[in-house]
Amino acid sequence: MVEISKINDNIYEVPIGYRPGMRVPGRIFVSAVLREMVEPGTVDQVANVASLPGIVKYSMAMPDAHLGYGFPIGGVAAFREEGGIISPGGVGFDINCGVRLLRTDLQAEAVQPRINTLIDALFEAIPSGLGATGRLHASDQQLTEAFINGSAWAVEEGYGVEADLSHCEENGHMPGAQPSQVGVKARKRGRPQLGTLGSGNHFLEIQKVEEIYDEAKAKQFGLFKGQITVMIHCGSRGAGHQICTDHLEVLSKAVKKYNIDIPDKQLACAPLGSPEADNYFGAMVCAANYAWANRHIIAHWTREVFERYFPGSKLDLVYDVAHNVAKIEEHQVDGKRERLYVHRKGATRAFGPSRSEVPDTYRNVGQPVLIPGSMGTSSYVLCGSDQALDLTFGSACHGAGRVMSRSQALKLFTGQNVKAALNRDGIVVKATSPGMLAEEAPQVYKPSGDVVDVVHNLGIATKVARLVPLGVSKG
Amino acid sequence: MIPFEYLEHTADIKFRAYGKTPEEMLSNAAAALFKSMVQPETIAIKETWKVELKAFDLEDLAYQWLSEIVFLFETESAVFAAFAVKLEQDATQSWKLQAEIGGERIDLKRHAFGNEVKAITRHKFGIKKNEVWCIQVILDV
């Protein structure tokens, strides 16, 4: 048996031969402490991805990696346009699950005394939790436009402003949407849920900038110590889940048709250029755009609530990142520029100043990389770097990553004691279900600081600011 | 024979459901899925929904069946607590499922919600028959 080898303090290599059929080695970016938390199953998943056709350089796992289905969560893999594949497993069910950060011109001292009222109002204004439907009641036509134009559609409808768009990855609307590839079921799930937060680890959080690591970059991102920020974490809801489910069925058959040997059914894929691959990509883009529209609408309602309690306050969009998506990007491979399909499943794009995708306002420093903490722990703003392009196709971690199962969490915690502990730390929480609070207790996640330090120490993305929660609204 | 059991999984929900017949196994799997979403004791049976599905093998049929329940939950705004499953195999060996699902429309005041199931995954999804039928499922939550 070939063993995992340590390349340096933060990089471990899974050599070819670790599992049968590997075409490239795997690389896991972790510190010694986090390495202990990576389950053997996760390493197997990194190795399995390495066996997919057309994979370039390495099958990678970010420091928050944990067991997924097919791909690990925290997985990054890029495939050549010639001879490569696209796989819904490398994107996930929640297509374009992502994070958006709004900065306010308010100081924490002004907001903190009214935090309970504010969280109650946000909880009221933004539908969340299981069984909730939106305030929006989108028509079929509106849904199609959201699929095609994402955030740009939302702005046309009066949600958010034009200036927000350049501060979204892909300007909030990725080209290549094919609404004809979205099935009836996905449309039916998507329509009532446009403008809803969802459940699970999704949240809306009022935060305070607690610490600045890099004054110059913080200034560029419009962040200062003691400032109030709002973070929104959600995705493409039932529309995305159903699109993934439907196309997985098609791609499971494509694997047989094109004779692709896969070690796990959830790695179903199709050769790039095949109709099955094109159709999945076109449908995935629809879900990605839906998610951008969704976060745009939620941000708009957040602004309305702030306007009610803090008239004249300004909430500008710092940035909006996707952490579950496949994108066509150009990268340097063996000295050549190549078009690759980069899959990021629980990983955030972290482009540096050299990339034209970074908006003008941030071009001299790099894109903001938003890493949400778990409920009750710090979130981080980092800045992408050109070094990441070489190491990880310009990708960083996406969060903290779970270390404890839900059933274990329910044995150890109750919603009530989790809430009380958070209250003691000055954090107000509002959630639809107490069980959810127990399952999402801060202790079930890896320490977000450790995860971020690996990314920082490798130079993939450097720390700019640390944000602490004051109030959390959860599904 | 226990109807189903939840197994340890770090990030998601994993369960095995059992049955003396494939029908019973599919019915128990649906109950296991739904119990992770809503506490069954809070659900009254007031309405029924009919489901008809076809597939080339039992595993595909089971996958479709569980996915259909997630779909119905979201689009019908309903919660379910009874799952009566009938199976048939035709001359070409294809499977056909006919089911009656009992439940009621969502009442946010009364129903105790748990996890939001995004999808049924294909990861380590499988059916085995030893002494009884057994299906293993991992839910993406």
Side-chain angles (χ1 to χ4, degrees):
Chain A
M1 170 100 182
V2 215
E3 294 296 327
I4 298 167
S5 63
K6 185 173 171 177
I7 305 281
N8 64 36
D9 282 349
N10 290 304
I11 305 178
Y12 291 77
E13 182 153 304
V14 185
I16 291 178
Y18 183 84
R19 299 263 300 166
M22 286 172 73
R23 295 164 195 257
V24 294
R27 284 228 159 160
I28 304 177
F29 300 91
V30 280
S31 60
V33 174
L34 292 174
R35 168 72 189 92
E36 298 298 311
M37 299 185 191
V38 179
E39 303 163 284
T42 309
V43 181
D44 288 348
Q45 291 185 334
V46 172
N48 286 344
V49 171
S51 71
L52 295 174
I55 184 163
V56 180
K57 278 191 184 171
Y58 303 104
S59 160
M60 300 182 227
M62 297 294 119
D64 50 342
H66 61 86
L67 200 62
Y69 16 84
F71 279 63
I73 314 294
V76 175
F79 299 88
R80 284 203 167 85
E81 203 164 29
E82 282 295 317
I85 53 95
I86 188 165
S87 171
V91 173
F93 285 98
D94 196 0
I95 297 166
N96 189 7
C97 183
V99 183
R100 152 175 304 223
L101 183 70
L102 299 160
R103 59 180 180 230
T104 72
D105 53 354
L106 300 166
Q107 298 276 353
E109 299 81 68
V111 176
Q112 219 148 5
R114 302 176 78 180
I115 195 77
N116 272 304
T117 321
L118 202 55
I119 282 295
D120 281 349
L122 286 165
F123 188 77
E124 206 50 42
I126 296 146
S128 68
L130 240 73
T133 50
R135 293 159 54 183
L136 195 72
H137 310 294
S139 70
D140 229 28
Q141 178 62 26
Q142 283 176 311
L143 187 68
T144 304
E145 285 174 34
F147 283 155
I148 298 170
N149 291 319
S151 289
W153 165 79
V155 170
E156 268 175 42
E157 294 278 313
Y159 300 97
V161 290
E162 190 77 31
D164 293 336
L165 297 179
S166 64
H167 283 192
C168 295
E169 195 173 319
E170 296 286 332
N171 294 307
H173 53 110
M174 201 168 158
Q178 290 185 60
S180 59
Q181 297 308 323
V182 178
V184 177
K185 284 186 161 178
R187 297 188 72 98
K188 217 171 161 186
R189 283 176 79 176
R191 217 170 32 233
Q193 292 180 357
L194 193 54
T196 62
L197 192 62
S199 182
N201 62 355
H202 295 152
F203 64 76
L204 186 149
E205 200 168 89
I206 299 175
Q207 309 164 323
K208 173 174 102 172
V209 178
E210 181 74 8
E211 198 175 353
I212 298 278
Y213 302 101
D214 185 325
E215 283 290 346
K217 284 177 182 152
K219 201 169 172 209
Q220 193 86 32
F221 295 164
L223 300 172
F224 56 87
K225 202 173 169 188
Q227 179 184 25
I228 289 291
T229 57
V230 179
M231 188 175 269
I232 296 163
H233 176 208
C234 66
S236 52
R237 313 288 296 110
H241 313 160
Q242 190 71 41
I243 285 171
C244 183
T245 300
D246 291 349
H247 284 266
L248 260 178
E249 284 309 290
V250 178
L251 268 56
S252 303
K253 294 186 180 86
V255 168
K256 289 177 200 139
K257 178 175 161 191
Y258 298 106
N259 252 325
I260 306 172
D261 199 14
I262 50 166
D264 180 340
K265 274 187 178 175
Q266 196 71 40
L267 289 174
C269 58
L272 290 166
S274 67
E276 292 88 346
D278 287 347
N279 294 347
Y280 166 66
F281 187 76
M284 181 211 72
V285 172
C286 290
N289 288 338
Y290 177 102
W292 272 306
N294 197 34
R295 290 196 288 274
H296 230 81
I297 293 162
I298 292 170
H300 175 75
W301 288 333
T302 304
R303 282 172 172 154
E304 284 183 346
V305 168
F306 268 79
E307 182 57 33
R308 205 183 314 152
Y309 294 97
F310 300 95
S313 60
K314 269 179 64 184
L315 275 75
D316 291 328
L317 182 54
V318 177
Y319 207 54
D320 180 306
V321 295
H323 56 219
N324 273 1
V325 76
K327 308 237 289 223
I328 307 166
E329 291 171 358
E330 281 190 9
H331 286 275
Q332 211 69 18
V333 182
D334 304 328
K336 271 199 334 251
R337 201 88 181 141
E338 275 200 66
R339 249 163 77 91
L340 304 175
Y341 279 66
V342 182
H343 293 57
R344 295 191 182 93
K345 158 85 165 286
T348 314
R349 196 188 70 180
F351 279 178
S354 72
R355 297 293 300 217
S356 62
E357 292 94 334
V358 178
D360 291 345
T361 37
Y362 303 139
R363 184 66 62 76
N364 57 339
V365 290
Q367 74 162 83
V369 178
L370 311 173
I371 312 298
S374 54
M375 181 175 60
T377 66
S378 297
S379 295
Y380 290 83
V381 179
L382 292 88
C383 183
S385 85
D386 285 338
Q387 206 163 322
L389 295 172
D390 197 38
L391 269 178
T392 58
F393 298 108
S395 316
C397 58
H398 85 307
R402 276 189 91 93
V403 280
M404 191 191 291
S405 71
R406 287 160 206 277
S407 47
Q408 186 67 19
L410 286 170
K411 277 184 210 139
L412 292 175
F413 316 113
T414 66
Q416 237 168 359
N417 64 30
V418 169
K419 197 170 176 171
L422 289 168
N423 284 345
R424 275 197 297 279
D425 291 337
I427 304 163
V428 174
V429 185
K430 185 106 179 157
T432 45
S433 131
M436 188 51 67
L437 287 181
E439 291 185 22
E440 293 289 317
Q443 295 88 335
V444 311
Y445 288 96
K446 292 175 193 176
S448 47
D450 290 5
V451 170
V452 164
D453 280 344
V454 174
V455 169
H456 178 85
N457 292 338
L458 283 167
I460 290 173
T462 55
K463 290 199 273 188
V464 175
R466 182 164 68 86
L467 320 170
V468 294
L470 300 179
V472 192
S473 170
K474 281 188 83 76
Chain B
M1 185 193 74
I2 49 164
F4 55 80
E5 60 185 327
Y6 295 102
L7 306 170
E8 279 296 301
H9 192 282
T10 318
D12 292 312
I13 293 172
K14 182 176 182 180
F15 68 78
R16 285 188 190 148
Y18 307 92
K20 287 183 212 75
T21 59
E23 283 90 348
E24 192 183 10
M25 171 190 73
L26 290 183
S27 167
N28 287 337
L33 160 67
F34 221 82
K35 194 182 174 180
S36 73
M37 298 158 72
V38 188
Q39 283 177 21
E41 311 84 69
T42 64
I43 303 171
I45 298 176
K46 294 179 180 167
E47 280 184 64
T48 55
W49 284 261
K50 283 191 167 43
V51 171
E52 273 196 40
L53 298 165
K54 275 182 189 163
F56 290 111
D57 61 52
L58 188 58
E59 216 169 275
D60 255 344
L61 191 73
Y63 183 79
Q64 281 188 42
W65 160 238
L66 297 174
S67 298
E68 188 68 18
I69 292 165
V70 173
F71 171 73
L72 283 176
F73 160 70
E74 281 189 16
T75 53
E76 292 290 302
S77 291
V79 290
F80 313 118
F83 307 91
V85 177
K86 265 195 257 169
L87 292 177
E88 265 174 51
Q89 243 184 325
D90 69 11
T92 64
Q93 298 295 299
S94 301
W95 289 83
K96 188 174 157 192
L97 172 147
Q98 283 179 301
E100 257 188 32
I101 304 177
E104 62 174 326
R105 305 283 164 178
I106 289 178
D107 178 348
L108 290 173
K109 287 190 203 73
R110 209 156 37 80
H111 297 133
F113 287 98
N115 290 282
E116 178 176 54
V117 174
K118 291 176 186 161
I120 314 301
T121 78
R122 284 277 194 178
H123 187 58
K124 306 219 163 135
F125 186 92
I127 294 174
K128 269 191 192 150
K129 171 155 191 323
N130 294 324
E131 267 158 47
V132 292
W133 289 83
C134 169
I135 183 168
Q136 175 171 285
V137 183
I138 296 175
L139 307 172
D140 183 19
V141 294

